[in-house]
Amino acid sequence: MESTSVPIGHGHADAETTAAQRRPGDMRELKGMFASRALRLPRQLEQIALFALAKPDLVAFGSARSIALACAVSPTTVARFATVLGFDDFRDLKAFFQQHLRNARMVSASA
């Protein structure tokens, strides 16, 4: 499990409109979105982003409710986080993280 500290800028409540994001293709692209500060997130969404980067396995296999509890936000906020990042919904975000973990396992198995 990879844990990376990525700076994420505090933004305005209208992150959805300023982001107009295309779904990231992989974890490197997602981290790049945060690092470039092209995506400015309100505090609650930032909390989820930091959690997701630190614990991708819990996002991949957790529920919106379990992630919400860990981040002290509502499940609705977790769903909004997914759409702000360009995913269709929370299920799409989970699939993205599951694919990331599969790719990471394949890389470590071939090393």
Side-chain angles (χ1 to χ4, degrees), residues 10 20 23 30 34-36 38 40 59 64-65 69 78 84 86 89 108:
H10 287 285
R23 182 188 190 278
L30 178 62
F34 295 145
S36 72
R40 297 181 56 83
V59 176
R65 182 180 171 92
L69 286 171
V78 175
V84 165
D89 52 26
S108 65

Side-chain angles (χ1 to χ4, degrees), residues 7-92:
I8 300 173
H10 287 285
H12 308 10
D14 64 341
E16 294 88 344
T17 58
T18 59
Q21 286 299 144
R22 175 185 65 79
R23 182 188 190 278
D26 58 23
M27 188 61 77
R28 184 178 341 175
E29 191 176 332
L30 178 62
K31 289 177 183 179
M33 287 167 52
F34 295 145
S36 72
R37 299 188 183 257
L39 178 64
R40 297 181 56 83
L41 298 173
R43 184 184 54 79
Q44 289 186 324
L45 298 184
E46 181 179 330
Q47 286 174 236
I48 300 167
L50 293 171
F51 176 82
L53 293 177
K55 300 181 183 286
D57 54 326
L58 296 180
V59 176
F61 301 107
S63 64
R65 182 180 171 92
S66 66
I67 295 165
L69 286 171
C71 296
V73 300
S74 73
T76 303
T77 301
V78 175
R80 190 173 81 235
F81 173 73
T83 59
V84 165
L85 295 181
F87 295 95
D88 293 335
D89 52 26
F90 177 69
R91 185 175 297 182
D92 190 25

